[in-house]
Amino acid sequence: MSENKLVVDARGDACPIPVVKTLKALGALEGAGEVETIVDNKIAVENLTRMGENKGCTVAADQTAEKEWHVTVSTDKAVGVAEGEPEAVTCDVPAGPRRVVVQVASNAMGIGDDELGHKLLKGFIYSLTQLDQLPATMLFYNSGARVTCEGSASLEDLRNLADVGVEILTCGTCLDHYGLTDKLAVGEVTNIYVIAQKLTGASVVVRP
């Protein structure tokens, strides 16, 4: 254990305060030593690690309880901390996973020959089953509602997608318009409000 050691308790502190406190402590060492910062979330651990490495320090993190980490930043020389640098720290929060929504507004893909469009859409839906990153939700409306109903050439692929967690939703108004209310063969019935929620909450919207 270093003789020149400071302990910072940053439990309960919102980002970027744990990094700010640790930077100030590093500056206060005025030479070789270590700062041990106690935090209660993984994001703080990641940001402290990034800061320490950027400063040329050695960083070690030890989880001691369900929501407690001890992050030790060690240095063999004085760490330069410019005036005002701690207060200028910003917090890097990892981006969450993308939420991909596929909207199928027609039973044919593209504009032109419908027979070709039907083949293209079938191929597109099959291709989704082969992707490493699956969509979170597939929305079917207008004539796209036909794709989730009895007789659709894509039912097997859609069922495979549903089995691995892809949400399959079909517009109830559209089913009623086309006389398909009792023909839905995969997924669930939804409404325009939910469709609007799914589309506006998506990271990426794909329309074949």
Side-chain angles (χ1 to χ4, degrees), residues 79-130:
V79 175
V81 180
E83 183 178 354
E85 181 180 354
E87 288 74 15
V89 169
T90 59
C91 185
D92 293 328
V93 180
R98 295 195 315 163
R99 182 173 180 81
V100 178
V101 173
V102 176
Q103 59 172 140
V104 181
S106 171
N107 63 342
M109 183 174 178
I111 300 173
D113 186 282
D114 282 349
E115 183 178 355
L116 173 60
H118 297 153
K119 292 179 181 178
L120 292 175
L121 184 60
K122 182 180 186 301
F124 174 81
I125 292 175
Y126 168 75
S127 296
L128 291 179
T129 69
Q130 305 302 303

Side-chain angles (χ1 to χ4, degrees), residues 150-191:
E150 295 174 8
S152 167
S154 294
L155 286 183
E156 181 179 353
D157 293 327
L158 289 173
R159 285 170 177 151
N160 288 338
L161 288 166
D163 286 345
V164 293
V166 177
E167 186 179 35
I168 310 292
L169 300 176
T170 303
C171 168
T173 300
C174 305
L175 290 170
D176 183 63
H177 176 81
Y178 289 109
L180 298 171
T181 303
D182 298 325
K183 302 295 184 180
L184 186 68
V186 60
E188 299 178 358
V189 178
T190 191
N191 56 63

Side-chain angles (χ1 to χ4, degrees), residues 104-108 121 140-149 170 178:
V104 181
S106 171
N107 63 342
L121 184 60
F140 296 83
Y141 55 89
N142 210 317
S143 65
R146 297 183 183 276
V147 183
T148 56
C149 292
T170 303
Y178 289 109

